[in-house]
Each structure stands twice: as C-alpha cells, then as structure tokens.
Amino acid sequence: MTTNLEPSHPTSDGDDNRRNGTLIQLKTKGEIEAADKTINVYVVEIPIKSASVVLKLLRDAIPNQESVDLQHLRRFAKQEFLPDHLKSFSTPGNGNQSSPLSANPRTGTAYLLICPTHLIPQDDLSTLLSANPPFSDLPPPTILTLPVPLYSSTSLAQAAAWSRTHWPTSFKNTNPHGPHPPFVARAEVGLLRDGGRDMRKLVELARKAGDEAAMARKGPGVGCVIFGREKRGDGTAEAVAVAGDARWGLEGNGCGEGRGAGNVMAHAVMRAIGMVARKRLRLDGAEDATSQTSPNPFADLPRNELEKTVFDADTLNSGGYLCVDLEIYTTQEPCIMCCMAVLHSRFSRCLFGRKMPRTGAWMAESGLGYGLFWRPELNWKLLCWQWDDGEEKVDAKSCNQSPPLAR
Amino acid sequence: MSKPPSLNENRVYHENFMREAIAMAELALQSDETPVGCVFVHDSKVIARGMNDTNRSLNVPQGTHHAEFIALSQILSSPSLSSSSITTLLNQTDLYVTVEPCIMCASALRQYGIRAVYFGCANERFGGTGGVLNIHSDMGVERGYPCYGGIFREEAIMLLRRFYVQENEKAPETKQKKTRELKTDILPLAVEDAAQIDIREERLQAEA
C-alpha cells in the first residue's frame, strides 16, 4: 500500500512545495513466499441456467470441497472476463481434452471453477458430469486444469494482476500473511497526520541526532527517534527519545574512531531504547535514573543537548511497559540486532529511511530477506514502512559479504 | 585467529565453563530474573560474567538487557582494553551461555566478532543460532562463528522451569502461576521437538 502525500494547501512554513514523504508498506516474508503459490483446479464450461443443478451435483459428489479456501476466486466467470491466454487458445471444435475453454464466444454459458484437482480424479469427474444433467443430453464436457492462486490477494493491484494471468480474482481486503489491511490503513492515517508534517519533524530530529554524532566522530551518521501519542491525547506524535549512533564513542577502550564495528550495543536504536527505560525509571521517581558508570557501554543517557532536550521532555506517561504503544523511526534500516531489540521492546510501528540490503533485517523482499517485523515464529509482530522523502537512498557503499561459515 | 577448542576433544574443559554460566543463571533465579547466565572466556580464563537483567535493571523493565549484553558491558568497561580493540579481543574469546542466544544477541556477537559460542539448551522461541534463525552462519557482512549446543542442557531447562513457576510482577498481565507445578521430566535430545515446545513456552513466559 502506498500513500502519496503532498501538502494539499499552501502553508506558511515556507516549504510547502517540498514533499513530506511517502509511506511504503513492507511486504511480509509470508506474503512474498505465498505470492506465487498456485493450486491446480478443474474448470468446465456450463450453461448458466444449469448452474444450481451442477453446483448441487458437485456438492454431493465432492463433500470436502471446503477443505481448500478459494473464496478469493470467482466461482463462475463469463468468457469475456477470462485471462486473455485462455480466450485466445480457442480452437474450433470441442470435446477434445486438451482443447481450450471454448471455440467461440457464446452467450448463455459460463466457466465454473469446480475444485482443486487433488479432491477428485479427472476421469471420475468426467463420468460424473456426463452422467447427469445438463451433460447427459450434451456432448461430454471439456475439463480444463488450470493453476490458480492458492491464497487471497493482499491488494487490489495483486487481484487485478492475477485476474489477468490466472483466473478472475477478487480482493477481500484481508491479508492472511500480514497485518489486516484496514488496520494498516488506519495506522497510515495516524502517521500522515497534519499532512505529514508531524512525521517530518520526527525524521528531521533523527537525522540531526545522527549528523551530530557523526560530526563528533562518534558514529557513522545514523539517527533514531522513538515517539508516542499518549501524552497529548489528540493523536499528535511526540518524541520520547532521540539518539545518534555512538558505536565509536566509548572513550579510551579501542572502539575505534571511524573504523570497524566498534561498540555494537551503542547503535542508535539500542541507545534510544535504553533512554526510554531510563525515562520510565525517572517517572518512577528512582534516584539512580540518570546515574551511570564511566565509561557506559550502553550509552543509554543523552550525550549532547539535542538528545538531552528530548530526554528531558515530558512526553511519556508513567506506568508503561517497555516500549508498548511507542513507534520508532531510524534514518536507515536497522541491523538484525536492532530489529530484534525493537521486537523485544514491543513497539507497535517502525519506519526507516534508507534500505540496507546487506545488513538490514526489516525487508523481506530483498537484501538479507529476514522480514523480522512479521514472522509467525516470533512472539511479537509490528507494522513496518519505509518512509521515502527522497533524502535517504539505498545504501550504495560497495561492501562484500562474507560467505556463510563452512560447517 | 586461533581455533576454538572443539566440543568433543575436551568436554571437561567446556563443562567447567558451562558450570560457571549455570552459577550465573542460578543467581538470576534467586533475584527473580529470567535464569539465563553466561561467561566470556579468553585464554582459558573467564573475563566477564552476565545474567539476564531484563526485569529489574534499574528497577524498570529493559527488554534488551540479556545476559550476553551485561557481560559484554563489563568487557567494554575494562581499563585493560585501552590498548587493543574490542574486536581483536573478542576474536580470541568464546561465549558459554545456558540458553541459546536470541536473534538480537546472536547478531551482536557476530558484529563484535566472537570466536565461538557454546550453549546449554536451544531456544525455539527467539533462538538466533539454530532455534529460529541461523544468524551465526547466514550470509552477512561480518564473518560467521561456530556454535555448539547441548552442554548441561537438562540443567538449563530446569532453571527455566523453576522460573516459570515464580511470579513476574512487571509483566502487564500477571498470569496465575500458583496453580503451576514444577515439571521434572526432560525428554532426551532425540525427541528434541517435544522438549523444545516446553522451552519455548517457558522462554516466552520468562520474556513476557
């Protein structure tokens, strides 16, 4: 689902012509794996007036038809709605098993999707149809075997594509492999509040935090903002914590300046999650809310004025648990560690700027392909989008991957 | 980089360090924490110890303070690290942990450049070294690492089960644990699947 966002009316902030951003919903790993899964079904042309007779005949003869859910496919299709390759395969004459659906366009007939082929052998089906009306008075029917999509489509566009390539398909506004589409649509309305300016402010905050850490030679210029909507009560998103990546910022311990992995646990996401915990602790009235060792490898307290301003802001209610109901934006797709930390922390939504095909773990359709935001094996799932405002490009640094470890 | 000690050649060597990891998990259990413990071993010496600290760290829940991170923070705080980089040190360091590292920790360990990982029981809920994903050996930017499981597996499972019958007051919906009984039967590794369902439930509960 893609929602384009252009400011609909001029505003006074001077940059109304600038694109605020576009939400690009990520596909789940399950969606990608299911997208090309098909099942073979029988199709036969029948007179429309015999539809109910044939359906009853099939219902009685093939009792377990419901065992495969094909609700997303049209049961009957008139010839003009068939995919082109099924129409154009037509050859004159009928009755040959290998012949296509129909010789000529006819009125008064439609194509019936009977059932998956594993439910009844074709010969039995042929015998059954031929022995009963209407085919008892007609030439034996031609039974076609076609591959059709096994699972529901997850978008209107996909349903339209399958209707052209396989069989007339409807979009039921469901997604068996990911978040319920209306739920995603509601979330997008919230994210695009105030014409996307809400989101843009947060994105700029994260970018600034990354830039400041980079200028201080503490990190590679990656920033992260955690935000929530619980304090104001009107749906406005407010920053709860902002952090720049500080992997090279641990003093005097050889975590490198500008080189190597450094202190991995000081990635921007880990730091920001740590700051939320500190903030909750402060709300609890704990005396040690902002005490730290030196050095502090978790780097979970503000390290500059920008981070401190957000950390000190009254933007979180007391009594919360981990990062439940909070949302997170990172200037680039987080690494595997950081994505799993987001899951462990029970965030509800995540967004990122730049795709990171070699290290990122949100994307399922490209790169490493983990799609960690929505995996049935894991005990937490969340909504995930790329936020494209034209500023963050796909990471283009050339960097070779290590081959898998020999085992 | 020298090779990590193989599992079969020197079982006693590994068991000694896993005992130390189990001691840390016992300590966690005594402080109402998820009983996962670990030690980092460099040059046949323990250089850091960790226990899970997700529920009580600074008195607020912190879902990412797993045992491995607590121990790594000790290593990173050590003054002796000033002359050599963290990656150089960890390239010569092995981890012993009672439960298979989760996906987050498995990735952190790879990025830090750990030499090898030895664990007790598998973690079919979040495991990052075989339980759910194979972060240690998949294609990736950093070099992968070898991982060996099953050292004192029964003890590691029993620790989790003992925790399962304790209360976790910080969880949003406190489950009724009074009616729970401590199970003591542990299926052998050959029927791992069934046993791991237990671990999965316990780990889920523990992390909740």
Side-chain angles (χ1 to χ4, degrees):
Chain A
M1 196 174 306
T2 298
T3 312
N4 229 320
L5 204 94
E6 303 284 345
S8 53
H9 53 86
T11 56
S12 57
D13 59 9
D15 54 358
D16 31 277
N17 292 327
R18 190 165 144 195
R19 256 173 106 225
N20 278 331
T22 305
L23 285 170
I24 303 169
Q25 192 199 350
L26 298 202
K27 285 194 163 59
T28 67
K29 190 154 184 79
E31 258 176 273
I32 287 154
E33 287 172 354
D36 50 5
K37 283 226 169 74
T38 58
I39 185 170
N40 283 335
V41 295
Y42 297 122
V43 168
V44 73
E45 184 184 13
I46 65 166
I48 289 171
K49 60 177 166 43
S50 306
S52 57
V53 177
V54 176
L55 283 178
K56 181 171 188 322
L57 174 72
L58 294 169
R59 209 164 35 238
D60 294 344
I62 314 168
N64 50 348
Q65 278 184 75
E66 311 295 317
S67 62
V68 181
D69 183 1
L70 296 178
Q71 297 277 316
H72 54 288
L73 302 170
R74 304 263 181 221
R75 193 74 199 267
F76 287 97
K78 290 201 164 185
Q79 199 204 28
E80 66 249 50
F81 296 114
L82 292 178
D84 286 343
H85 69 280
L86 295 179
K87 283 184 241 177
S88 61
F89 263 114
S90 305
T91 50
N94 212 340
N96 180 343
Q97 290 285 320
S98 65
S99 82
L101 287 174
S102 174
N104 305 298
R106 322 176 182 190
T107 53
T109 68
Y111 295 88
L112 168 64
L113 190 160
I114 294 180
C115 67
T117 55
H118 68 269
L119 295 180
I120 183 170
Q122 181 162 337
D123 289 346
D124 293 5
L125 179 63
S126 183
T127 308
L128 176 76
L129 290 172
S130 303
N132 289 283
F135 295 106
S136 45
D137 301 326
L138 293 170
T142 301
I143 298 170
L144 261 270
T145 297
L146 301 178
V148 294
L150 176 57
Y151 299 108
S152 292
S153 60
T154 55
S155 69
L156 270 172
Q158 192 180 42
W162 285 350
S163 298
R164 285 191 301 273
T165 56
H166 289 84
W167 183 259
T169 305
S170 53
F171 173 51
K172 299 282 190 190
N173 213 15
T174 60
N175 183 354
H177 317 284
H180 195 47
F183 179 66
V184 178
R186 273 199 304 279
E188 292 189 347
V189 169
L191 286 165
L192 298 173
R193 262 187 114 262
D194 193 21
R197 280 175 206 80
D198 236 27
M199 196 60 223
R200 195 173 82 200
K201 280 180 205 151
L202 293 163
V203 167
E204 282 170 359
L205 201 55
R207 235 169 240 162
K208 199 150 181 265
D211 290 348
E212 290 201 3
M215 280 188 289
R217 302 179 65 82
K218 302 297 186 198
V222 179
C224 166
V225 61
I226 292 174
F227 49 102
R229 301 166 197 275
E230 59 184 40
K231 197 71 189 179
R232 293 255 296 261
D234 64 352
T236 307
E238 291 185 292
V240 172
V242 64
D245 189 309
R247 66 183 70 178
W248 302 316
L250 198 59
E251 288 80 5
N253 74 348
C255 277
E257 228 192 42
R259 286 181 63 241
N263 179 19
V264 180
M265 65 173 81
H267 284 186
V269 170
M270 305 303 286
R271 291 193 61 216
I273 288 173
M275 285 185 203
V276 173
R278 294 279 198 167
K279 207 158 167 163
R280 290 211 186 282
L281 180 67
R282 195 179 57 198
L283 282 168
D284 256 20
E287 284 174 15
D288 57 351
T290 54
S291 66
Q292 62 182 328
T293 56
S294 181
N296 172 12
F298 291 112
D300 55 356
L301 283 170
R303 301 189 134 215
N304 56 38
E305 275 308 305
L306 177 73
E307 292 179 358
K308 188 170 186 305
T309 306
V310 174
F311 182 74
D312 289 343
D314 176 25
T315 47
L316 197 63
N317 284 333
S318 62
Y321 182 71
L322 300 175
C323 296
V324 169
D325 293 331
L326 296 181
E327 301 158 51
I328 187 166
Y329 168 85
T330 46
T331 56
Q332 67 179 38
E333 185 185 0
C335 74
I336 302 165
M337 170 188 72
C338 287
C339 288
M340 196 61 204
V342 168
L343 265 74
H344 281 318
S345 301
R346 314 283 204 269
F347 279 91
S348 61
R349 300 166 181 170
C350 56
L351 301 100
F352 64 92
R354 182 188 315 168
K355 289 183 190 175
M356 298 294 284
R358 283 176 303 279
T359 55
W362 285 148
M363 301 284 296
E365 56 202 293
S366 60
L368 298 176
Y370 288 119
L372 276 189
F373 69 99
W374 199 276
R375 294 285 295 249
E377 317 86 307
L378 301 173
N379 76 335
W380 193 255
K381 299 182 186 74
L382 67 163
L383 304 180
C384 190
W385 297 264
Q386 185 190 14
W387 175 259
D388 180 11
D389 57 8
E391 300 283 322
E392 308 279 358
K393 305 291 180 208
V394 176
D395 178 52
K397 273 180 286 184
S398 64
C399 178
N400 293 325
Q401 293 193 347
S402 296
L405 190 74
R407 276 184 282 185
Chain B
M1 189 183 92
S2 59
K3 275 185 69 175
S6 91
L7 191 57
N8 294 326
E9 274 171 34
N10 203 345
R11 188 92 192 176
V12 176
Y13 173 91
H14 300 292
E15 288 183 350
N16 281 338
F17 290 121
M18 192 57 84
R19 285 247 170 270
E20 304 233 25
I22 285 175
M24 290 306 293
E26 288 278 3
L27 199 60
L29 188 67
Q30 282 162 30
S31 30
D32 286 339
E33 256 299 343
T34 313
V36 180
C38 73
V39 294
F40 282 81
V41 175
H42 178 257
D43 220 0
S44 303
K45 283 191 280 293
V46 173
I47 57 166
R49 291 163 208 275
M51 59 182 234
N52 228 48
D53 195 24
T54 53
N55 289 334
R56 305 292 187 273
S57 72
L58 307 162
N59 299 317
V60 281
Q62 163 61 289
T64 57
H65 280 193
H66 288 185
E68 295 91 329
F69 276 35
I70 301 299
L72 279 165
S73 76
Q74 288 168 23
I75 297 174
L76 288 153
S77 300
S78 158
S80 67
L81 208 62
S82 52
S83 57
S84 71
S85 90
I86 178 72
T87 311
T88 310
L89 176 73
L90 285 167
N91 274 336
Q92 304 293 330
T93 300
D94 303 322
L95 166 68
Y96 292 79
V97 57
T98 56
V99 181
E100 178 194 348
C102 80
I103 291 165
M104 173 184 76
C105 291
S107 170
L109 290 163
R110 184 161 175 172
Q111 294 184 59
Y112 275 120
I114 195 83
R115 185 173 69 171
V117 170
Y118 302 87
F119 66 82
C121 65
N123 176 355
E124 283 248 318
R125 195 68 206 170
F126 313 110
T129 60
V132 177
L133 298 178
N134 291 292
I135 303 301
H136 65 304
S137 61
D138 278 353
M139 193 75 89
V141 170
E142 308 88 7
R143 181 176 50 82
Y145 54 86
C147 197
Y148 310 94
I151 308 169
F152 295 140
R153 173 177 164 270
E154 291 79 4
E155 285 86 338
I157 294 173
M158 281 311 295
L159 278 161
L160 292 172
R161 287 189 184 173
R162 280 160 62 197
F163 179 72
Y164 182 58
V165 296
Q166 292 181 13
E167 291 282 343
N168 176 3
E169 291 166 359
K170 295 284 177 186
E173 293 164 44
T174 308
K175 304 277 193 325
Q176 278 299 324
K177 294 196 180 183
K178 283 171 189 154
T179 52
R180 288 182 190 159
E181 287 174 18
L182 181 63
K183 290 183 286 182
T184 52
D185 57 310
I186 293 178
L187 296 170
L189 213 53
V191 276
E192 181 87 332
D193 284 353
Q196 281 181 347
I197 290 166
D198 294 348
I199 300 166
R200 186 188 313 159
E201 285 170 358
E202 282 149 18
R203 185 77 187 203
L204 170 63
Q205 196 61 41
E207 300 278 350

